[in-house]
Amino acid sequence: MIDPHVHLRDWGQAEKETLQHGMQVALQCGIDELFDMPNTSPPLTTEEAVLTRLEDAWRCNVGVRYHLWAGVTSDPRQVESIAKLATSLFPSVIGLKLFAGHSTGHMGLVEEQTQRSVYQTLASAGYEGMVALHCEKESLLRPSLEDGRDFSSHSMARPVEAETASVRDQIRLSGEVGFKGHLHICHLSSVEALGIVEEAKRLGRRISCAVTPHHALLSSKDACDHDLYAKMNPPLRSETERSSLFAALLAGRFDWVETDHAPHTLQDKELGASGIPGFSGLLLLVKQLIEQGASAKLLARLLGERVLQVAGLPEREICIPSYDQLSALSLAAAGAYPYDSFAKFRLR
């Protein structure tokens, strides 16, 4: 299986996870290809950092195909140079990442003019590869509604409207400047945002979107259980939203599943860090999809085939663990981290 959205930490965040550990756990779960995100410490925004990260990953040599997303900044010169680097190092560098809102790592480019400038620079440079997007419009966030003792309040502080508005912004801004690359909308948490992406597809835009196991399996009600530490960006939504996302996934409306695997230490989670381990949840989601009648063809598409197609990678077989293996593998993966946000779902 392929997981095109992971945060394997290491370097200045080695206490959270190392590249070696993350890849080993992924492989134990049947995930043999990973796309790593750039909000590392230091971030993957320079040629030196990108090359060092690739060397460190290859040195792990655990049998996982490793790629990374390079990050863009507000500096047009950096955007131009990192786009050139991504093109020359493809497929090791699978594409670029733009945080259209702040999240872990503080790489957010939150002003519309800055976002437009990134797309303009990419268009002028002739970059036509993938740009992965974290979509949450900063001006629509409501931090005053955040209660650090209640992780479910995170969904009020970062409402659905912030996601949908940002998705519309990225489609509009990139189109206005003639950007011809592929937009990938990461970790959608609302059916409304999915509809916006589907409309853009109908209009001929190169665009895809994905859902995470946590948004398809857990709701904001689960986040009320403090011991699950179920806080992430974008946050968990209502049970109605969650069930709608799962139904859309089962109907084949999403391009793929991505875990947004983002481990922290238990202390960091107690202090309110956003992000959870995702490999355990992926296996639970596959199990649930099978139980709800998902075909082998749909599972193969969601867990790798569509990623290969969009990313421009060679076709290969996507192997999925058997139904009987899924629970045991998920439990083992959860044991590799100091907390398990999918524990409640496992007991359902």
Side-chain angles (χ1 to χ4, degrees), residues 292-306:
Q292 296 301 315
S295 67
K297 182 178 180 180
L298 175 61
L299 291 174
R301 177 178 175 274
L302 292 173
L303 298 169
E305 287 182 354
R306 179 66 175 148

Side-chain angles (χ1 to χ4, degrees), residues 174-187:
S174 60
E176 286 175 351
V177 300
F179 175 64
K180 296 181 180 179
H182 182 101
L183 301 181
H184 174 66
I185 313 299
C186 299
H187 45 48

Side-chain angles (χ1 to χ4, degrees), residues 133-136 154-155 158-164 167 185-195 197 209-220 232-246 248 254 258 260:
L133 294 159
H134 177 117
C135 291
E136 288 185 287
H154 200 52
S155 63
R158 304 178 82 103
V160 165
E161 295 92 319
E163 177 178 77
T164 56
V167 171
I185 313 299
C186 299
H187 45 48
L188 281 187
S189 67
S190 66
V191 174
E192 184 180 353
L194 172 60
V197 172
C209 63
V211 69
T212 68
H214 45 271
H215 288 116
L217 295 178
L218 303 174
S219 73
S220 54
M232 68 289 295
N233 302 326
L236 299 178
R237 302 302 183 190
S238 68
E239 175 58 23
T240 299
E241 196 78 73
R242 182 214 65 78
S243 62
S244 297
L245 290 173
F246 185 89
F254 282 98
E258 57 192 25
D260 195 9

Side-chain angles (χ1 to χ4, degrees), residues 10 14 67 86 105 107-108 115 169 188 243 254 270 278 295 297 313 316 319 335 341:
D10 214 315
H67 313 263
M107 290 180 65
Q115 295 166 7
D169 285 349
L188 281 187
S243 62
F254 282 98
E270 283 287 355
S295 67
K297 182 178 180 180
L313 298 174
R316 69 177 181 88
C319 299
S341 296

